Amino acid sequence: MKNTRTSSFSALILTGTVLLCVRSATAANEPAAPISKPTAPRAVDVRAPDGTILKGSYFPAAGPGPGMLLFHQSNRARESWDDVARRLAAAGIHTLTIDMRGHGETGGAYDNWTDPNRDEAKRKWAADIDAAFQYLASQPGVQRGVIGAGGAGLLGVDNSVETARQHPAEVKSLALLSGETFRPGLEFLRQSPQLPILFAVDDQDEYPPTHEAVELLYITASNPGRKFVHYSSTQDAPWAWYEPVDVGRVPAAGRHGTDMFQTHPELPGIIVDWFVTTLIRTPGHAPAETVASAPVLNQIAMPGGAAPVRQQLTEARRKDPQAQLFPEVTASIIGWDYGRAHDTKSALEVAELVVLAYPNSADAHESVAEAYLDDGQKDLARQHAEKSLALLDSRAFPASSWADTEPYRGHVRRAAESVVKKISEGAVAARTPDAPSLPSTVASAIDREISNAEKEVFEAADAMPEDKFDFTPEALKISGSDFKGVRTFAIQVKHIAASNYFIWSPLTGEKLPEGLKDGNGPENLKRKAEILQFLKDSFALGHRAAATLTAENMLQTVGKSRSPRLGLATFGVAHAFDHYGQMVEYLRMNGIVPPASRGRSD
């Protein structure tokens, strides 16, 4: 069984605080971005509202696609982003790098953060950012409604956040390296759960406390798909000076902003893949990540915690149908651990939540099938196991949101097939009259009787050819008989099923199926397959009804009925066998030996 799997994820300890994701050079193994023929970049002039010309480089993609703004750090200029910009353009994202006012080739005064006319400087700076945005959005082929922004250092990070603040409907994703933003920006990130953000920092950044500032950004951001590329170290660099105040005073060590590209050569690829995911594959969305989803996962891991998360997910999807609050695999691990601890109820609650969040995952359907089987809900177990197999066969979706290799697809398939096999073998064993095991409870005793009735009735119904489903003895015109107006074979079958619902639904409290108004069943059911399914579903209700019986409640009445629970449960069996006898006669009138009589002396 799949729920006996072990995983390195099981070692993950979720605490009440947000944990930080530690990544190394192995992060380069992330899937590569699609590549198209690159187009040569060109130098551009962007005119600010006050007439200042902002110098930029534009890297056009080969065809229509998203746009990207890249902002440099205080001690670098736009060319520090050139490699990433080329890769983004090759991946289909039109990219603009810009020299901000007072940097690189752009003239104008540089706000050194202590200017007495700081308010005016901030207004100019915000206007410069908007001018760059408008230039990018106006370029041929750029999808104005799908824009990303990336920034390095305090200058670039704050510019990127400000871009998203100015254009929240258009900016779908950010990448923030080694920097911080101010209180308005922090508040914006806190209130923007729709905005996925990639953060990157090195603990040995030459401008401490940069990594603490980035960690603050990370825990402030509210999107569950945010990603943290954290190059950790046991030692921080010694403090020497601040990045934006005195450019060049601190020797570069390859640990700050875009300088990290030399020290961590996989980082540009991680950034490009991030924007390909959040701007092209799933605009404005990133897969939910374990560390980012820690509060939600902590809640799921608590007894009864799946229910409030289900409500949170439902509310989130009213605003965004693609919203995800947690990663599939991590929540599944929590459910598997409940199963291994024999807490069937909690395991099932978590598995049901995962299927709600990831309805196209064959893996999720297989896991909930196992949980239903452990809980004795065989009908639902079979339903989800078969759904898992159907998803695998269609190949329309990956096996799960986290793995789609052929070995894993095979693993999920074998687990789903095992569930179906166990249910089938269990049903045969339960229906065999001479089975050696004896019922141990009232519920199991009645369930066995329901199984016996189900087997006889279903096989008899299936034995009648579809073109004979409208047969009544009246058609035989037997001399002296009076069969006028008797039920057809089809209505005999529908009557058993309809009566099952009327008799057993009070025990479970379930509503009657739509269209069921009287004992002859829904009028719209005409074909044999539809009628047999209606019959099958009615006996599934009987099994659920039997499961409600206990020695304490079996003599209690339910609802308006004067019959005790035990009486209702057994009456359904008696009634089914009553009409089974009439079905047998109909079969014999058509020269068909009932399946129960085949192979015996007749």
Side-chain angles (χ1 to χ4, degrees):
M1 287 178 62
K2 197 175 64 162
N3 62 15
T4 60
R5 292 177 294 188
T6 57
S7 167
S8 60
F9 283 104
S10 299
L12 178 67
I13 301 175
L14 298 174
T15 67
T17 60
V18 176
L19 303 178
L20 296 178
C21 178
V22 181
R23 292 183 176 263
S24 66
T26 58
N29 294 325
E30 304 221 356
I35 300 297
S36 59
K37 185 177 180 180
T39 305
R42 65 176 186 267
V44 299
D45 290 345
V46 177
R47 182 176 294 275
D50 69 349
T52 299
I53 300 298
L54 308 175
K55 294 292 184 176
S57 297
Y58 187 65
F59 299 74
M68 170 65 59
L69 272 173
L70 293 175
F71 296 103
H72 58 81
Q73 62 213 53
S74 297
N75 57 356
R76 297 290 177 265
R78 70 182 192 272
E79 64 268 14
S80 61
W81 280 108
D82 279 359
D83 178 46
V84 170
R86 289 191 183 93
R87 296 195 199 193
L88 287 168
I93 301 173
H94 301 266
T95 303
L96 174 65
T97 61
I98 202 84
D99 280 341
M100 293 302 292
R101 186 181 294 256
H103 293 79
E105 296 180 322
T106 297
Y110 167 57
D111 172 25
N112 65 3
W113 312 101
T114 58
D115 194 311
N117 296 318
R118 180 162 176 72
D119 290 343
E120 177 64 21
K122 287 173 65 177
R123 280 192 290 271
K124 288 182 179 179
W125 207 268
D128 291 351
I129 293 169
D130 184 64
F133 177 91
Q134 299 299 343
Y135 180 91
L136 171 66
S138 69
Q139 296 307 298
V142 173
Q143 296 174 267
R144 184 185 178 94
V146 186
I147 303 292
L154 188 152
L155 183 66
V157 166
D158 191 54
N159 286 346
S160 298
V161 175
E162 182 62 24
T163 301
R165 286 185 64 211
Q166 291 183 12
H167 304 280
E170 291 88 357
V171 176
K172 303 297 186 186
S173 179
L174 299 178
L176 308 179
L177 281 58
S178 313
E180 60 185 298
T181 187
F182 302 103
R183 185 167 182 79
L186 283 170
E187 197 58 34
F188 171 76
L189 298 184
R190 181 178 288 109
Q191 297 177 6
S192 302
Q194 81 288 350
L195 183 64
I197 307 174
L198 170 72
F199 301 88
V201 73
D202 190 316
D203 282 354
Q204 295 187 49
D205 189 296
E206 51 263 41
Y207 295 100
T210 295
H211 78 78
E212 287 86 353
V214 175
E215 289 165 4
L216 176 61
L217 290 181
Y218 178 82
I219 66 172
T220 301
S222 53
N223 184 280
R226 64 193 186 277
K227 187 185 186 87
F228 193 13
V229 182
H230 184 190
Y231 297 103
S232 62
S233 173
T234 57
Q235 293 184 336
D236 293 352
W239 185 87
W241 206 248
Y242 296 107
E243 171 211 325
V245 176
D246 193 354
V247 175
R249 182 165 180 169
V250 178
R255 306 286 182 170
H256 183 73
T258 49
D259 291 359
M260 289 192 291
F261 297 161
Q262 283 71 49
T263 307
H264 306 295
E266 74 287 346
L267 184 55
I270 294 173
I271 294 170
V272 173
D273 284 337
W274 170 259
F275 284 120
V276 167
T277 296
T278 55
L279 297 181
I280 296 178
R281 293 179 185 146
T282 53
H285 295 86
E289 201 174 61
T290 298
V291 176
S293 307
V296 173
L297 291 168
N298 278 328
Q299 189 162 23
I300 295 173
M302 298 293 290
V309 174
R310 173 186 287 268
Q311 183 62 34
Q312 292 173 35
L313 180 61
T314 301
E315 292 173 358
R317 288 196 170 165
R318 290 195 186 104
K319 300 177 182 177
D320 178 4
Q322 298 184 62
Q324 290 292 13
L325 303 184
F326 54 84
E328 175 186 353
V329 65
T330 317
S332 293
I333 290 168
I334 294 171
W336 299 335
D337 283 342
Y338 273 128
R340 284 188 281 264
H342 307 292
D343 185 347
T344 304
K345 179 178 180 294
S346 297
L348 180 55
E349 288 176 349
V350 174
E352 289 174 330
L353 174 63
V354 175
V355 165
L356 176 66
Y358 296 90
N360 296 320
S361 167
D363 194 16
H365 281 281
E366 192 286 318
S367 291
V368 81
E370 289 197 34
Y372 278 125
L373 185 60
D374 289 345
D375 196 49
Q377 300 188 53
K378 298 177 184 178
D379 226 42
L380 286 170
R382 181 188 291 275
Q383 175 184 326
H384 283 278
E386 291 175 348
K387 175 68 172 179
S388 175
L389 294 171
L391 284 166
L392 291 171
D393 290 340
S394 74
R395 289 192 172 270
F397 303 97
S400 74
S401 63
W402 68 279
D404 194 39
T405 64
E406 287 306 314
Y408 196 72
R409 293 180 71 87
H411 176 64
V412 175
R413 179 178 296 278
R414 289 189 297 273
E417 290 173 343
S418 175
V419 170
V420 174
K421 182 179 179 181
K422 287 175 182 178
I423 294 170
S424 299
E425 290 175 346
V428 170
R431 295 170 186 171
T432 302
D434 57 354
S437 59
L438 295 175
S440 58
T441 65
V442 173
S444 59
I446 299 304
D447 188 76
R448 172 170 290 188
E449 295 305 313
I450 292 173
S451 293
N452 289 339
E454 179 182 10
K455 178 179 185 296
E456 303 291 347
V457 172
F458 188 86
E459 290 181 354
D462 195 29
M464 182 68 88
E466 183 160 17
D467 61 356
K468 297 289 186 180
F469 258 52
D470 287 334
F471 170 81
T472 75
E474 183 180 2
L476 300 178
K477 298 181 180 179
I478 300 173
S479 178
S481 66
D482 184 12
F483 291 115
K484 188 176 182 179
V486 298
R487 292 185 174 106
T488 65
F489 185 84
I491 293 180
Q492 289 283 3
V493 177
K494 290 202 295 182
H495 174 68
I496 294 174
S499 298
N500 286 348
Y501 276 107
F502 285 120
I503 295 168
W504 286 328
S505 61
L507 296 177
T508 65
E510 297 177 40
K511 294 181 180 179
L512 295 174
E514 186 176 353
L516 180 55
K517 299 176 181 178
D518 57 37
N520 288 334
E523 293 181 0
N524 64 320
L525 299 184
K526 304 292 186 183
R527 297 177 58 245
K528 177 180 177 178
E530 296 172 336
I531 295 171
L532 291 183
Q533 186 62 52
F534 181 53
L535 178 68
K536 180 180 178 181
D537 292 343
S538 75
F539 276 106
L541 171 65
H543 291 297
R544 295 196 293 274
T548 67
L549 295 174
T550 66
E552 292 75 25
N553 72 10
M554 65 180 184
L555 298 180
Q556 298 172 358
T557 58
V558 58
K560 298 180 180 180
S561 175
R562 295 182 180 180
S563 299
R565 290 176 175 270
L566 181 62
L568 289 174
T570 56
F571 178 61
V573 175
H575 178 268
F577 272 126
D578 180 23
H579 288 273
Y580 166 73
Q582 298 178 51
M583 293 169 61
V584 166
E585 292 302 319
Y586 281 31
L587 288 171
R588 289 193 179 278
M589 288 178 181
N590 285 277
I592 300 170
V593 178
S597 300
R598 295 172 187 174
R600 302 177 183 177
S601 174
D602 200 33

mmCIF file of all heavy atoms in Angstrom, residues 94-111:
data_model
loop_
_atom_site.group_PDB
_atom_site.id
_atom_site.type_symbol
_atom_site.label_atom_id
_atom_site.label_comp_id
_atom_site.label_asym_id
_atom_site.label_seq_id
_atom_site.Cartn_x
_atom_site.Cartn_y
_atom_site.Cartn_z
ATOM 1 N N HIS A 94 9.741 39.679 -23.036
ATOM 2 C CA HIS A 94 10.334 40.944 -23.457
ATOM 3 C C HIS A 94 10.878 41.663 -22.211
ATOM 4 O O HIS A 94 10.138 41.885 -21.250
ATOM 5 C CB HIS A 94 9.289 41.827 -24.132
ATOM 6 C CG HIS A 94 8.660 41.194 -25.336
ATOM 7 N ND1 HIS A 94 9.112 41.404 -26.615
ATOM 8 C CD2 HIS A 94 7.601 40.335 -25.445
ATOM 9 C CE1 HIS A 94 8.360 40.724 -27.469
ATOM 10 N NE2 HIS A 94 7.437 40.062 -26.790
ATOM 11 N N THR A 95 12.152 42.055 -22.246
ATOM 12 C CA THR A 95 12.801 42.538 -21.022
ATOM 13 C C THR A 95 13.455 43.901 -21.216
ATOM 14 O O THR A 95 14.149 44.134 -22.213
ATOM 15 C CB THR A 95 13.865 41.519 -20.555
ATOM 16 O OG1 THR A 95 13.236 40.249 -20.365
ATOM 17 C CG2 THR A 95 14.509 41.969 -19.261
ATOM 18 N N LEU A 96 13.213 44.774 -20.244
ATOM 19 C CA LEU A 96 13.820 46.106 -20.237
ATOM 20 C C LEU A 96 14.674 46.256 -18.992
ATOM 21 O O LEU A 96 14.190 46.063 -17.871
ATOM 22 C CB LEU A 96 12.734 47.181 -20.250
ATOM 23 C CG LEU A 96 13.202 48.646 -20.089
ATOM 24 C CD1 LEU A 96 14.049 49.071 -21.285
ATOM 25 C CD2 LEU A 96 12.004 49.577 -19.912
ATOM 26 N N THR A 97 15.964 46.565 -19.188
ATOM 27 C CA THR A 97 16.815 46.949 -18.060
ATOM 28 C C THR A 97 17.002 48.460 -18.140
ATOM 29 O O THR A 97 17.040 49.037 -19.235
ATOM 30 C CB THR A 97 18.181 46.248 -18.115
ATOM 31 O OG1 THR A 97 18.869 46.631 -19.314
ATOM 32 C CG2 THR A 97 17.996 44.737 -18.104
ATOM 33 N N ILE A 98 17.131 49.096 -17.002
ATOM 34 C CA ILE A 98 17.125 50.559 -16.980
ATOM 35 C C ILE A 98 18.187 51.085 -16.020
ATOM 36 O O ILE A 98 18.388 50.512 -14.945
ATOM 37 C CB ILE A 98 15.723 51.089 -16.588
ATOM 38 C CG1 ILE A 98 15.515 52.515 -17.053
ATOM 39 C CG2 ILE A 98 15.430 50.904 -15.130
ATOM 40 C CD1 ILE A 98 15.050 52.581 -18.491
ATOM 41 N N ASP A 99 18.911 52.118 -16.414
ATOM 42 C CA ASP A 99 19.789 52.841 -15.494
ATOM 43 C C ASP A 99 18.947 53.891 -14.787
ATOM 44 O O ASP A 99 18.436 54.826 -15.425
ATOM 45 C CB ASP A 99 20.930 53.530 -16.244
ATOM 46 C CG ASP A 99 22.055 52.579 -16.600
ATOM 47 O OD1 ASP A 99 22.130 51.501 -15.982
ATOM 48 O OD2 ASP A 99 22.835 52.905 -17.514
ATOM 49 N N MET A 100 18.805 53.750 -13.491
ATOM 50 C CA MET A 100 17.996 54.704 -12.754
ATOM 51 C C MET A 100 18.710 56.057 -12.659
ATOM 52 O O MET A 100 19.922 56.163 -12.875
ATOM 53 C CB MET A 100 17.673 54.157 -11.367
ATOM 54 C CG MET A 100 16.768 52.935 -11.397
ATOM 55 S SD MET A 100 15.178 53.233 -12.236
ATOM 56 C CE MET A 100 14.398 54.379 -11.093
ATOM 57 N N ARG A 101 17.973 57.097 -12.340
ATOM 58 C CA ARG A 101 18.459 58.469 -12.251
ATOM 59 C C ARG A 101 19.747 58.535 -11.419
ATOM 60 O O ARG A 101 19.811 58.050 -10.300
ATOM 61 C CB ARG A 101 17.380 59.321 -11.617
ATOM 62 C CG ARG A 101 17.634 60.803 -11.556
ATOM 63 C CD ARG A 101 16.480 61.494 -10.882
ATOM 64 N NE ARG A 101 15.251 61.396 -11.669
ATOM 65 C CZ ARG A 101 14.742 62.378 -12.394
ATOM 66 N NH1 ARG A 101 15.340 63.558 -12.433
ATOM 67 N NH2 ARG A 101 13.618 62.208 -13.064
ATOM 68 N N GLY A 102 20.789 59.109 -12.007
ATOM 69 C CA GLY A 102 22.054 59.264 -11.308
ATOM 70 C C GLY A 102 22.927 58.024 -11.328
ATOM 71 O O GLY A 102 23.952 57.977 -10.638
ATOM 72 N N HIS A 103 22.580 57.001 -12.127
ATOM 73 C CA HIS A 103 23.351 55.763 -12.203
ATOM 74 C C HIS A 103 23.683 55.429 -13.649
ATOM 75 O O HIS A 103 22.914 55.739 -14.566
ATOM 76 C CB HIS A 103 22.574 54.595 -11.600
ATOM 77 C CG HIS A 103 22.360 54.701 -10.126
ATOM 78 N ND1 HIS A 103 21.388 55.504 -9.568
ATOM 79 C CD2 HIS A 103 23.010 54.115 -9.085
ATOM 80 C CE1 HIS A 103 21.425 55.389 -8.242
ATOM 81 N NE2 HIS A 103 22.405 54.566 -7.927
ATOM 82 N N GLY A 104 24.814 54.775 -13.851
ATOM 83 C CA GLY A 104 25.193 54.340 -15.183
ATOM 84 C C GLY A 104 25.228 55.480 -16.170
ATOM 85 O O GLY A 104 25.851 56.506 -15.933
ATOM 86 N N GLU A 105 24.512 55.315 -17.289
ATOM 87 C CA GLU A 105 24.511 56.321 -18.342
ATOM 88 C C GLU A 105 23.404 57.363 -18.181
ATOM 89 O O GLU A 105 23.282 58.273 -18.996
ATOM 90 C CB GLU A 105 24.339 55.637 -19.712
ATOM 91 C CG GLU A 105 25.499 54.714 -20.075
ATOM 92 C CD GLU A 105 25.295 54.065 -21.439
ATOM 93 O OE1 GLU A 105 24.135 53.711 -21.772
ATOM 94 O OE2 GLU A 105 26.293 53.918 -22.160
ATOM 95 N N THR A 106 22.600 57.210 -17.143
ATOM 96 C CA THR A 106 21.502 58.159 -16.932
ATOM 97 C C THR A 106 21.983 59.339 -16.095
ATOM 98 O O THR A 106 22.634 59.150 -15.055
ATOM 99 C CB THR A 106 20.314 57.477 -16.229
ATOM 100 O OG1 THR A 106 19.808 56.460 -17.080
ATOM 101 C CG2 THR A 106 19.204 58.472 -15.934
ATOM 102 N N GLY A 107 21.653 60.536 -16.538
ATOM 103 C CA GLY A 107 22.031 61.726 -15.786
ATOM 104 C C GLY A 107 21.046 61.999 -14.660
ATOM 105 O O GLY A 107 20.222 61.169 -14.292
ATOM 106 N N GLY A 108 21.135 63.201 -14.126
ATOM 107 C CA GLY A 108 20.253 63.597 -13.047
ATOM 108 C C GLY A 108 20.876 63.364 -11.697
ATOM 109 O O GLY A 108 21.904 62.711 -11.563
ATOM 110 N N ALA A 109 20.248 63.935 -10.691
ATOM 111 C CA ALA A 109 20.774 63.843 -9.335
ATOM 112 C C ALA A 109 20.379 62.520 -8.707
ATOM 113 O O ALA A 109 19.275 62.016 -8.902
ATOM 114 C CB ALA A 109 20.252 64.998 -8.500
ATOM 115 N N TYR A 110 21.299 61.968 -7.943
ATOM 116 C CA TYR A 110 21.050 60.702 -7.239
ATOM 117 C C TYR A 110 20.617 61.007 -5.815
ATOM 118 O O TYR A 110 21.305 61.719 -5.086
ATOM 119 C CB TYR A 110 22.317 59.855 -7.250
ATOM 120 C CG TYR A 110 22.293 58.682 -6.305
ATOM 121 C CD1 TYR A 110 21.294 57.720 -6.390
ATOM 122 C CD2 TYR A 110 23.272 58.544 -5.321
ATOM 123 C CE1 TYR A 110 21.280 56.633 -5.531
ATOM 124 C CE2 TYR A 110 23.270 57.469 -4.454
ATOM 125 C CZ TYR A 110 22.263 56.506 -4.561
ATOM 126 O OH TYR A 110 22.249 55.444 -3.707
ATOM 127 N N ASP A 111 19.462 60.494 -5.425
ATOM 128 C CA ASP A 111 18.983 60.696 -4.059
ATOM 129 C C ASP A 111 19.825 59.850 -3.116
ATOM 130 O O ASP A 111 19.774 58.625 -3.162
ATOM 131 C CB ASP A 111 17.500 60.286 -3.976
ATOM 132 C CG ASP A 111 17.007 60.292 -2.544
ATOM 133 O OD1 ASP A 111 17.573 61.022 -1.712
ATOM 134 O OD2 ASP A 111 16.046 59.546 -2.257
#
